[in-house]
Amino acid sequence: EAALNRQEFFIEYQPQYDLSNARILGAEALIRWQSPERGRVSPGAFIPALEETGLIHEAGKFLIASVFAQLAAWREAGHRDLKVAINLSPRQIEGSPLPAILKEALAEHGIPPSAVELEVTESLLLSGKDTTRKALEEMERMGFSIALDDFGTGYSALSYLHNYPFHKVKIDRSFVTAMDTEPKGEPLVRGILNLSHDLGLVTVAEGIEESQQEAKLGEMGCRIGQGFKFCKPVDPAAFEALLAAEPEIGRD
């Protein structure tokens, strides 16, 4: 709580690229913590702590407010086609009036819901709670697109695609890595891409680190990619510099 009050949290953005032409389509927003005592703290360490203490709700509000304000500024600067993805914690969806928070943020910053993507992981869906489904359906009705993150790393993924209002599937980095290291890696990725295409879902590949991975994914029909091969998560100023280097991207 003290870290939130002292404004030690900040947001970085990892660009997402069109694999057909290497143009920036948007970004994934990632919350970070720079502690005066501990230095930069890994999200793998502080996110579970936020969830356990219930502070994930306040951190989530901070993330939403920061991203919506930043997106409004980028749109004002002419980047009106950018789409920013926000990761949602299971606790956020199950334990807070998230649709109302999002609606208020939309009104405050004057951006369309189509400019924001909401990402959830399979862990959120394991409980099978009807309240979770209703919350996701309500956010979809509001105009947000919903993405299933880390696809294939949990259980019953196919039933999730059938029963929940997803628009996009994010292929977990472990599958991308396996294309180069495991005999079944490439066929698995191809299967995910074919399934997603047949269901009318957009695909994003995470964790692209090598040119051959990018090439394979593009050949198999994956539309969007992100990873260190392109760019690590960066602060808003660095992201703006990337956009400025390609001024036609994301502009009317």
Side-chain angles (χ1 to χ4, degrees), residues 6 38-39 135 138 156 166 172 190 194-195 229 248:
R6 292 196 300 260
R38 302 168 58 187
E138 182 175 356
S156 305
F166 292 114
D172 187 71
R190 191 182 302 276
N194 289 339
L195 173 64
K229 190 274 175 185
E248 77 279 7

Side-chain angles (χ1 to χ4, degrees), residues 79-127:
H79 304 290
R80 302 187 67 82
D81 291 333
L82 284 177
K83 193 163 198 168
V84 176
I86 296 176
N87 293 282
L88 298 180
S89 159
R91 288 281 185 93
Q92 280 178 275
I93 294 179
E94 295 175 352
S96 68
L98 188 57
I101 294 171
L102 290 166
K103 184 176 181 180
E104 183 178 342
L106 288 174
E108 180 178 354
H109 298 288
I111 59 175
S114 58
V116 179
E117 185 172 275
L118 305 176
E119 293 187 4
V120 300
T121 61
E122 291 181 75
S123 61
L124 169 67
L125 313 176
L126 285 174
S127 66

